[in-house]
Amino acid sequence: MDFASDNTAGASQRILDAILAANAGPAAAYGADSFSAKATELLSEVFEKEIACFLVATGTASNALALGAICPPFGAVFCHQESHIMEDECGAPEMFTAGAKLVGIPGHAGKIGGEDLAATIAAFPRGAVKQVQPAALSLSQATESGTLYSCEEISDLAAIAHGAGLEVHMDGARFANALVALPCKPADMSWRAGVDVLSFGATKNGALACEAVIFFDPAKASSLPYQRKRSGHTLSKGRFLGAQMVAYLEDGHWLGLAKTANAHAVRLAQGLAEAPGVRIVWPRQANEIFAILPRRTDTALKAAGALYYEWSSRRFDAGIAAPAQDEVFVRLVTSFATLSSDVERFVAIAQGRA
Amino acid sequence: MDFASDNTAGASQRILDAILAANAGPAAAYGADSFSAKATELLSEVFEKEIACFLVATGTASNALALGAICPPFGAVFCHQESHIMEDECGAPEMFTAGAKLVGIPGHAGKIGGEDLAATIAAFPRGAVKQVQPAALSLSQATESGTLYSCEEISDLAAIAHGAGLEVHMDGARFANALVALPCKPADMSWRAGVDVLSFGATKNGALACEAVIFFDPAKASSLPYQRKRSGHTLSKGRFLGAQMVAYLEDGHWLGLAKTANAHAVRLAQGLAEAPGVRIVWPRQANEIFAILPRRTDTALKAAGALYYEWSSRRFDAGIAAPAQDEVFVRLVTSFATLSSDVERFVAIAQGRA
Amino acid sequence: MDFASDNTAGASQRILDAILAANAGPAAAYGADSFSAKATELLSEVFEKEIACFLVATGTASNALALGAICPPFGAVFCHQESHIMEDECGAPEMFTAGAKLVGIPGHAGKIGGEDLAATIAAFPRGAVKQVQPAALSLSQATESGTLYSCEEISDLAAIAHGAGLEVHMDGARFANALVALPCKPADMSWRAGVDVLSFGATKNGALACEAVIFFDPAKASSLPYQRKRSGHTLSKGRFLGAQMVAYLEDGHWLGLAKTANAHAVRLAQGLAEAPGVRIVWPRQANEIFAILPRRTDTALKAAGALYYEWSSRRFDAGIAAPAQDEVFVRLVTSFATLSSDVERFVAIAQGRA
Amino acid sequence: MDFASDNTAGASQRILDAILAANAGPAAAYGADSFSAKATELLSEVFEKEIACFLVATGTASNALALGAICPPFGAVFCHQESHIMEDECGAPEMFTAGAKLVGIPGHAGKIGGEDLAATIAAFPRGAVKQVQPAALSLSQATESGTLYSCEEISDLAAIAHGAGLEVHMDGARFANALVALPCKPADMSWRAGVDVLSFGATKNGALACEAVIFFDPAKASSLPYQRKRSGHTLSKGRFLGAQMVAYLEDGHWLGLAKTANAHAVRLAQGLAEAPGVRIVWPRQANEIFAILPRRTDTALKAAGALYYEWSSRRFDAGIAAPAQDEVFVRLVTSFATLSSDVERFVAIAQGRA
């Protein structure tokens, strides 16, 4: 019963098979191989647009390289105050931008509102030399609270950002989980909605270690080959990144994996909602569930071997009643590798049936 | 006939099998898994010392993180002027040290001499505020010229460095190839000779993407967990790094792979030495051969599909006659995956027998 | 009627005279002159402690160098969310720390409260690799809201910081203005209260361009000579910094200047408090007054040529009623060079008497 | 007899007077004052071109800010291997470029030759991702060896640089000393010869602390206001920088100061050339003399109180016979403040006449 994260899962068999298949014979190093070329081709198809694409092994690298390309050292990146780039990357964006400032914006359920965004940007007037200069908006889809922006919401926020001269980045570590939950296509949820640079995740959704930094305007990617290299993120045996991404995309494998993960989350959320004393904190929209459990439920689940993180109470937003003394605030994540039996057993315990 | 690099090879079957085996079930993320712990344990055994170990996916990351830990922004790293950190990492050491200076030292066959080292360090007096301050010596073993330092030579250079208050780093991207060519143990070629931090490579010798930053004094590694994270080099599914390193080390697999690679190089060098008009530039000591070929030989080899790099004439050192107009300076690299038949065919062509 | 800032004033005559006097004959460059040595000696006397002292020309340099010495690239600096280092230095602390994160803490009247500090530090657990690590607390004295910490308050906050393993920095751009308003000695307001590194300002209080970075434990200053040099802050004709600081300190000149500035502020605040419709926002404690003026008063003052800044409404804190439509939120600053006649005229206009 | 440096001199009386005059009354802070505006105006006149100009207090700041504006973190700055930016700024260019690499080029008498420049640039092929990318050429005028480039030489080097896509920076810490020694105008020695960004020094030639970063294409200066601020180089009482520069330029004051300094050097070089056993190392062209003295002469001079630096033997170039055991290699610098009587006394001692 491991609901700690979608990165405690391994890789999908199909992706592992692709790695094995890619192993045969020599291949050009540093991304000049045919697998990497094929990955770019497939991503261009998926996004219905010619793109520039840079494969790396981690989401932090993907986000930080993307932000480094669109934010100068004296720039500001606007993001949700609980976002991954703000809270969970130990200052990677600061390192890759050579010292830019991340400006956190509060917002219910992990989402930034348009008015808050506009007001925050306005607090950093263009040309006011004492202050860092507005450079980028970074949105997470799905958010750190497991919620989703609709394509319209992304469009609206991107329009505000573009109107103020900012570039728009999307942290898509869970892009697939978001996509399959919304009635839109990859292009709709990204460049058609105004996203300029996308960190397109695969690792949390079944890859071994593979993420793509995608520039929808290839002309803006000119520094990336060098920045990827000097940050140590250009893998010598690049074929193995390419092979993962190809297998991930071919035949809609990525969509199937995400649908599986989300379906487990639907069932888990439903089961918890019916469990006595359990409160679902934010709406379950992708593959993460944030819930407040009675402490006795938490104790029973852990005694049964369930794994999940207690979530920081600091991460609460104003719209939610904080956990009481005898309650625990937790995050549960499902993945393609989650077992239905684990979900059912977890629910049964939470409902006091096991 | 691919002799372009040891990173155009894939991974060894044993290492791929280990990745597959590690895939089963959930595992703690970010390096807290049992495979990573086992890797540290095995490395401690191999080096006969308690170490601190950080697995990453690239050699550039390994070198840059190591240097960042031992050189301040106002420091100088002394290295051979043709070393990988100087010439081939697009400024990674500068990025990870926040702007330190690499000071290149010339030297025959890719090796630094003790007098040159001492004189160069002396040109940066301790406390002379206008100049960057001596902080680290970085040695490559094997060197970029495919040559080796004896353990005594390492000891002598390290003693000079330590005497001047420097830490000693070793770029061991081809540590295994060097080790099996010398009559010494891993500890002799590293910490017993004075190496403080080692970039221990596995990728070029059969791993998919795995390198270890090894601190022989774990107390000096306190910043590494954070620097690895903020540089995006902490893989979420860390088990796959751990599994590679474990398979690499167990049962002497790494030594076998290196011996195979080196044996191919021995045969290739021998065959070339007997080829008309071919000059071996630096002594073949590990798995790289630097040779000057008659242009007609080069043409014949390429026509037959052989792959290898022309080496920069700038990289010549004073002891070697530069290639003539009708000659080409090339680098040939063998690996565990090199085919004997390719070696023989290459030699036959070079010798004008095919 | 220039109340825009205390840096729109020139330098005191005594300090200019000292510059002239220092000009005679040659002097050793880069701070090795006798004036700089004398400055260190006088500062040691003033603070009753042997110190390490580094003179620079700007407050931003002073703050950023100080923070760079006590916060690693993966560290967090805790400060008031409206502090100068957070809002007004265009990312200098981020540059000089090579990418650390400033964590803003809200607090009434520009001051951080102990509970808020403790809670914020606790949100960055030691050893939690995903997050930047608590490294420093930075307090401003006087604050950006013109208020003061008592020595006890500084002590309490420093104790919390030290208890969590942090170093304590004080931004003392207006150290003198604070000091003469409190019943304590320089040592009491700094190291005896737990301050480790002090940015000791002179420019706003009558120097031409002179600030001192003061380490109360000289052993912690070992990197400063190099960091000052490589950031371009080691003046070649260092005698002119030394001469300013010496003249500033000798015969209590600095205290006299600050008393004059504060006395003007007392009178100005008193006059405004009695003006119809004017609200003093935060208590006037040093040489800055934050007030809400009726728009008609603002209009009348500006028509008469008064200079001052409208203050950002964003900088309001929860305890204060925001300005209404027909009101303006302004900052007024007095200095040693303020003319009493200007104060009186300003007050007269505000009170509708002129 | 202080010939240690031109920064051991004080400031010219005229410049000090200007500082005093600028002190009266309030002035807008951070460079928005009328003196700074006037300085830009005068510099535009001097250089016969509309420029963007940023005043700072040190030459290191000026150079580093200039290079940071034209070289990305993954870029290379080509410069003479003995240049000030390479040897004497403790890594400032690396800090302000966020980690770029300085590539030193050897060359007789402190000057870079065209062939060496072209060959060195060619060793960093555009698009070769492993290597830092050619970004800037930095020339020193006068050089660190006290020699001068003719305007034609500057033109030729700049043409090579521009042809390879580089920007051209000039370190003009001694721009005035060079200018008055050559038959050309400021524009000829800078932008007409291809210089894009100039560090225009005044400190060594009579200012208290004042240098200008000058962009001959103002459009390229867009990041400078922010980079100057975040590096702590925007002086709050900016009028004092402006006033220095205005006084420096008005009525040709700067040219007079430089002529005086150079004339002292002419006399000193002449006297030394006639002294027994003294060798002039590089031709005296501006206000610096590099000479090899018999040790007995050195001893006699020092006994008489003469101050000057022994120059690093490492700084020798191939064209010069190194000092013998009983010889000393020294640098002598004259300034506007040098006393003729000191020159004569120095010469007399060197010639054994005193």
Side-chain angles (χ1 to χ4, degrees), chain C residues 57-297:
Chain C
T58 74
T60 295
S62 174
N63 284 335
L65 282 167
L67 294 173
I70 59 177
C71 182
F74 53 86
V77 175
F78 299 90
C79 57
H80 192 277
Q81 67 183 13
E82 301 297 344
S83 63
H84 201 267
I85 60 169
M86 185 60 130
E87 292 284 318
D88 298 301
E89 300 186 347
C90 198
E94 287 87 346
M95 180 180 181
F96 283 65
T97 57
K101 195 185 280 284
L102 270 60
V103 178
I105 301 176
H108 181 59
K111 292 168 67 177
I112 298 172
E115 285 187 27
D116 287 338
L117 174 62
T120 308
I121 295 173
F124 293 80
R126 193 67 60 187
V129 173
K130 289 184 160 195
Q131 287 180 272
V132 290
Q133 293 294 294
L137 166 67
S138 179
L139 299 172
S140 303
Q141 178 81 328
T143 74
E144 285 300 290
S145 299
T147 55
L148 302 180
Y149 291 101
S150 70
C151 291
E152 293 68 34
E153 287 172 325
I154 296 169
S155 261
D156 291 348
L157 292 168
I160 293 168
H162 288 154
L166 282 66
E167 302 275 317
V168 178
H169 167 250
M170 176 175 279
D171 176 355
R174 294 188 179 95
F175 189 90
N177 301 98
L179 183 73
V180 299
L182 290 176
C184 58
K185 298 201 287 180
D188 302 331
M189 205 170 83
S190 56
W191 64 271
R192 278 202 200 106
V195 174
D196 298 295
V197 192
L198 169 65
S199 294
F200 179 76
T203 310
K204 288 182 193 294
N205 192 36
L208 187 141
C210 189
E211 312 277 314
V213 190
I214 297 175
F215 288 77
F216 294 109
D217 177 357
K220 289 181 180 164
S222 60
S223 70
L224 247 282
Y226 309 104
Q227 295 286 31
R228 183 173 62 164
K229 180 72 188 169
R230 76 191 281 268
S231 60
H233 286 292
T234 305
L235 263 61
S236 57
K237 298 182 177 176
R239 65 168 106 177
F240 293 117
L241 288 177
Q244 288 181 70
M245 186 57 76
V246 168
Y248 184 68
L249 296 172
E250 277 186 337
D251 303 327
H253 183 48
W254 64 305
L255 303 174
L257 294 167
K259 282 174 189 163
T260 301
N262 287 10
H264 288 307
V266 167
R267 170 61 192 130
L268 186 55
Q270 182 185 47
L272 286 174
E274 294 166 5
V278 172
R279 287 185 282 150
I280 302 295
V281 172
W282 296 303
R284 196 276 336 143
Q285 295 188 286
N287 65 323
E288 294 182 288
I289 297 153
F290 294 82
I292 291 174
L293 309 180
R295 192 165 293 279
R296 67 175 182 284
T297 306

Side-chain angles (χ1 to χ4, degrees), chain A residues 42-59:
Chain A
L42 288 178
L43 282 166
S44 288
E45 280 174 28
V46 161
F47 283 98
E48 307 171 49
K49 194 170 203 317
E50 192 191 349
I51 58 157
C53 161
F54 301 87
L55 301 179
V56 294
T58 74

Side-chain angles (χ1 to χ4, degrees), chain A residues 67-86:
Chain A
L67 294 172
I70 59 176
C71 183
F74 53 86
V77 175
F78 299 90
C79 58
H80 192 277
Q81 67 183 14
E82 301 296 343
S83 63
H84 201 266
I85 59 170
M86 186 60 131

Side-chain angles (χ1 to χ4, degrees), chain B residues 132-291:
Chain B
V132 290
Q133 293 293 295
L137 166 67
S138 180
L139 300 172
S140 302
Q141 178 81 325
T143 73
E144 285 300 290
S145 299
T147 55
L148 302 181
Y149 291 101
S150 69
C151 291
E152 292 68 33
E153 287 173 325
I154 297 170
S155 260
D156 290 349
L157 292 168
I160 292 168
H162 288 155
L166 281 66
E167 302 275 316
V168 178
H169 167 251
M170 176 175 278
D171 176 354
R174 295 188 178 96
F175 188 90
N177 301 97
L179 183 72
V180 299
L182 290 176
C184 59
K185 298 202 286 181
D188 301 331
M189 205 170 84
S190 56
W191 64 270
R192 278 202 202 105
V195 173
D196 298 297
V197 192
L198 169 66
S199 295
F200 179 76
T203 310
K204 287 182 192 295
N205 192 35
L208 187 140
C210 189
E211 312 276 315
V213 189
I214 297 176
F215 287 78
F216 294 110
D217 177 357
K220 289 181 180 163
S222 60
S223 70
L224 246 283
Y226 308 105
Q227 295 285 30
R228 183 173 62 165
K229 181 70 189 171
R230 77 192 278 268
S231 59
H233 287 292
T234 305
L235 264 60
S236 57
K237 298 182 177 176
R239 64 167 108 177
F240 294 116
L241 288 178
Q244 287 182 71
M245 187 55 77
V246 168
Y248 184 68
L249 296 173
E250 278 187 334
D251 303 327
H253 182 50
W254 63 306
L255 304 174
L257 292 167
K259 282 174 187 162
T260 301
N262 287 11
H264 287 306
V266 167
R267 169 63 192 130
L268 186 56
Q270 184 186 44
L272 285 174
E274 295 166 5
V278 172
R279 287 186 282 151
I280 301 294
V281 172
W282 296 302
R284 194 278 334 143
Q285 295 187 284
N287 65 322
E288 293 183 289
I289 297 154
F290 294 82

Side-chain angles (χ1 to χ4, degrees), chain A residues 53-341:
Chain A
C53 161
F54 301 87
L55 301 179
V56 294
T58 74
T60 294
S62 175
N63 284 334
L65 282 166
L67 294 172
I70 59 176
C71 183
F74 53 86
V77 175
F78 299 90
C79 58
H80 192 277
Q81 67 183 14
E82 301 296 343
S83 63
H84 201 266
I85 59 170
M86 186 60 131
E87 292 284 320
D88 298 300
E89 300 186 347
C90 198
E94 287 87 346
M95 179 180 180
F96 283 65
T97 57
K101 193 184 279 284
L102 270 60
V103 178
I105 302 176
H108 180 58
K111 292 169 65 177
I112 298 172
E115 285 187 27
D116 287 339
L117 174 61
T120 308
I121 295 174
F124 293 82
R126 192 68 60 187
V129 173
K130 288 185 160 195
Q131 286 180 274
V132 289
Q133 294 293 294
L137 166 66
S138 180
L139 299 173
S140 303
Q141 179 79 328
T143 73
E144 286 300 292
S145 299
T147 55
L148 302 181
Y149 291 101
S150 70
C151 291
E152 292 68 34
E153 288 173 324
I154 296 170
S155 260
D156 291 348
L157 292 168
I160 292 168
H162 288 154
L166 281 67
E167 302 274 317
V168 178
H169 168 251
M170 177 175 279
D171 177 354
R174 294 188 178 96
F175 189 90
N177 301 96
L179 183 72
V180 299
L182 290 175
C184 59
K185 298 201 286 180
D188 301 331
M189 207 169 84
S190 56
W191 64 270
R192 279 204 200 104
V195 174
D196 298 295
V197 192
L198 169 65
S199 295
F200 179 77
T203 310
K204 287 181 192 295
N205 192 35
L208 186 141
C210 189
E211 312 276 315
V213 189
I214 296 176
F215 288 78
F216 293 110
D217 177 358
K220 289 181 179 162
S222 60
S223 70
L224 247 281
Y226 309 104
Q227 296 285 32
R228 183 174 61 164
K229 181 71 188 169
R230 77 191 280 267
S231 60
H233 287 292
T234 304
L235 263 62
S236 57
K237 298 183 178 176
R239 66 167 109 177
F240 293 117
L241 288 177
Q244 287 182 73
M245 186 55 76
V246 169
Y248 183 67
L249 295 172
E250 277 186 336
D251 303 326
H253 183 47
W254 64 305
L255 304 174
L257 293 167
K259 282 175 189 162
T260 301
N262 287 11
H264 287 307
V266 167
R267 170 64 192 129
L268 186 56
Q270 184 186 46
L272 285 174
E274 294 166 4
V278 172
R279 287 185 281 151
I280 302 294
V281 172
W282 296 302
R284 195 278 334 144
Q285 295 188 283
N287 65 323
E288 294 183 288
I289 296 154
F290 295 83
I292 293 173
L293 310 180
R295 194 165 294 278
R296 66 174 184 286
T297 306
D298 175 66
T299 305
L301 286 163
K302 282 181 179 149
L307 294 175
Y308 49 85
Y309 281 109
E310 188 160 341
W311 211 237
S312 167
S313 61
R314 169 172 73 95
R315 296 194 159 188
F316 252 77
D317 62 52
I320 308 294
Q325 282 289 85
D326 59 350
E327 290 181 324
V328 185
F329 176 32
V330 306
R331 184 188 76 161
L332 305 166
V333 192
T334 58
S335 79
F336 80 95
T338 299
L339 300 177
S340 289
S341 55

Side-chain angles (χ1 to χ4, degrees), chain A residues 3 13 20 73 82 340:
Chain A
F3 299 102
Q13 191 58 47
L20 293 190
E82 301 296 343
S340 289

